[in-house]
Amino acid sequence: MMLRCLLLLILISPSFLYSQYRKDVRNFAECYENSFIGHPGDYELQFTGRYGIETDFNAYSSLSELELNNTFWYSFVAPHEGLFLFSGIAEESSMMDILIFSKEQGFDKHDEIKNTSICDDINRGTAVIERIMKVNTADTFGLNKAPNEQFMYGLRLSEGQEIYLMFNSSQSIRFKAFLNVKFEVNFSAVNVAELKKSIDVRKNKKYASLRVHLRDKSTGLPIKGKMIVRNSKKLNGLYNGSEFIFSIRNRESLSLSIDAEGYFFIDKHLFLEEDKDHELTLWLEPAELGRRIELDGIQFEVGSSEFIKGAEYKLARLKDFLLLNSSIHIEIRGHVHEYGESTFAGKRMSSSRAKAVMKYLIDNGIERSRLSANGYGNEFMIYPEPKFDWQEQANRRVDIRIIKND
């Protein structure tokens, strides 16, 4: 009897575990569970060998011969009016269908179709097909400004317009593809003057100057933010704007701390020569869902979850970031320096380091519900084969990932 029960457990366990796993993991093969392109940059598509079953194209006669085989869905919302571009390459050679959909424009605000998702619109046949492509993934493909057999022309989008991209491979296997996404803002449609606020604190313009510009890393547009200057002989203070101009009369060594709502913070240390103009553009990363940031300066003693000297400043900066962006929830990710395969002890230590950061944040006023802490052992070492002590030390760290932004 015991043997029969044991065999039954062995037989049912894999399917049970799989069903539990599927409840917690998004299926990017489905339109409704698409992955979000939050900003220009590099993205990875993990094809699972399956296709989505919740969306069909029966309402489109032009797609009657399309056979879904192995799909991956992405969505994108235009931050401004501009041109959406991307290039892709896959690790496996196959034929791939690429379809891009948008919502039909012009509906009255009370129209029920206006308030549905693009996936719903595809099922009823009201979504607009913006692009249909069939490409060979042995070569690069996508949207650019020089169309050929592998590329179509980029897609012009209005501010706030949403598109859905479906990639459908002819191969029913697990493999990865890689996208590089670009978005060229139409600056003529953006009131750049409204985004700028210039702060000129020079008393005498005959001296050399330091000019600091704050820019959105995704769009290149100006950002209004708060900049604190420290360790300077004459420039210490708090300044609010998008561009700052200072006089440099003597050799300076100063520190800048920049914060802007909706962006990751930046800390910068400068050495300035006298009698020489300096210009600095600081590119701020939008704090969007899925984004990750390394927390330089939050490091740990060897074999310990104790912070090394100097970590308090960066911990305070992280706390201030969360106070400024109260809708953001983060995962704190702990890491260790460890050779070879990741061990249980390494995972436990990295988890302890993440929890030490979480404890600091909670003790300093951040709600527990906005935080989670996980240890990744040595899976994501910055220096897998370090040659110096400081590289080993850099592996003993934490970073954060935005998991929710209400």
Side-chain angles (χ1 to χ4, degrees), residues 52-319:
I53 60 174
E54 297 176 0
T55 306
D56 64 58
F57 305 104
N58 294 334
Y60 295 91
S61 58
S62 59
L63 302 179
S64 59
E65 296 184 6
L66 177 67
E67 182 178 345
L68 295 182
N69 188 56
N70 188 3
T71 58
F72 193 102
W73 286 83
Y74 264 126
S75 63
F76 174 77
V77 178
H80 299 279
E81 181 179 318
L83 186 67
F84 178 81
L85 308 164
F86 75 88
S87 62
I89 191 72
E91 62 183 13
E92 293 288 337
S93 176
S94 69
M95 298 305 295
M96 183 177 289
D97 303 295
I98 304 174
L99 280 70
I100 304 179
F101 297 90
S102 69
K103 182 174 283 292
E104 187 173 350
Q105 303 297 303
F107 290 110
D108 182 83
K109 66 180 180 179
H110 300 298
D111 195 307
E112 64 175 12
I113 295 178
K114 183 179 178 66
N115 299 315
T116 59
S117 77
I118 291 180
C119 300
D120 292 329
D121 296 346
I122 291 171
N123 282 332
R124 62 165 57 96
T126 57
V128 177
I129 303 174
E130 299 284 358
R131 297 287 188 274
I132 302 178
M133 306 170 61
K134 195 172 197 68
V135 300
N136 188 333
T137 61
D139 199 359
T140 55
F141 57 85
L143 303 179
N144 65 15
K145 292 189 283 188
N148 56 38
E149 61 183 17
Q150 289 282 105
F151 283 83
M152 293 187 73
Y153 194 82
L155 189 58
R156 296 196 179 279
L157 302 175
S158 57
E159 182 176 351
Q161 185 176 355
E162 185 176 28
I163 57 173
Y164 275 47
L165 299 87
M166 186 201 74
F167 300 85
N168 177 44
S169 172
S170 61
Q171 290 212 57
S172 300
I173 60 172
R174 295 175 65 89
F175 71 94
K176 294 178 182 178
F178 307 92
L179 295 187
N180 177 261
V181 176
K182 296 181 180 179
F183 189 76
E184 296 185 356
V185 175
N186 178 8
F187 288 102
S188 65
V190 179
N191 190 343
V192 177
E194 274 191 4
L195 301 176
K196 284 186 177 181
K197 182 182 178 182
S198 183
I199 305 297
D200 188 345
V201 296
R202 293 174 296 174
K203 295 180 180 178
N204 192 329
K205 297 185 180 181
K206 74 177 184 179
Y207 296 108
S209 65
L210 166 65
R211 296 173 181 265
V212 181
H213 310 276
L214 306 186
R215 294 289 183 269
D216 184 309
K217 189 174 182 179
S218 295
T219 65
L221 293 170
I223 300 169
K224 293 175 184 174
K226 176 183 72 175
M227 185 169 77
I228 298 176
V229 180
R230 296 185 179 89
N231 304 323
S232 170
K233 297 170 184 175
K234 296 192 176 184
L235 304 179
N236 287 348
L238 169 63
Y239 306 90
N240 288 284
S242 64
E243 307 196 4
F244 311 90
I245 311 174
F246 306 95
S247 290
I248 304 298
R249 300 180 61 174
N250 302 295
R251 182 177 297 179
E252 285 271 12
S253 174
L254 53 85
S255 298
L256 307 178
S257 298
I258 295 90
D259 296 277
E261 187 173 357
Y263 294 86
F264 288 119
F265 58 87
I266 288 182
D267 296 310
K268 193 80 173 176
H269 194 73
L270 302 178
F271 296 95
L272 305 175
E273 296 289 335
E274 57 185 318
D275 301 326
K276 181 181 177 181
D277 289 332
H278 302 266
E279 189 157 4
L280 175 67
T281 300
L282 297 174
W283 300 94
L284 278 74
E285 292 261 10
E288 295 171 336
L289 189 66
R291 285 263 181 134
R292 184 179 61 83
I293 183 173
E294 295 286 347
L295 296 173
D296 298 330
I298 302 181
Q299 295 176 0
F300 300 85
E301 299 289 351
V302 178
S304 168
S305 58
E306 295 293 321
F307 299 112
I308 64 171
K309 186 178 180 181
E312 294 82 3
Y313 173 75
K314 193 64 76 167
L315 287 165
R317 296 288 284 130
L318 176 58
K319 180 251 309 179

Side-chain angles (χ1 to χ4, degrees), residues 326-386:
S326 58
S327 64
I328 284 178
H329 296 226
I330 64 170
E331 177 196 18
I332 305 162
R333 298 153 37 104
H335 308 277
V336 300
H337 173 73
E338 186 177 44
Y339 292 104
E341 295 294 322
S342 187
T343 64
F344 175 76
K347 286 283 183 73
R348 184 171 57 185
M349 177 56 66
S350 60
S351 177
S352 296
R353 288 172 175 174
K355 288 176 180 176
V357 173
M358 184 167 70
K359 181 179 185 304
Y360 172 89
L361 295 173
I362 293 171
D363 290 347
N364 285 273
I366 304 300
E367 299 94 328
R368 170 67 179 82
S369 60
R370 296 174 60 195
L371 309 171
S372 67
N374 294 298
Y376 289 86
N378 66 350
E379 292 179 46
F380 303 106
M381 291 196 296
I382 299 174
Y383 301 100
E385 298 180 1

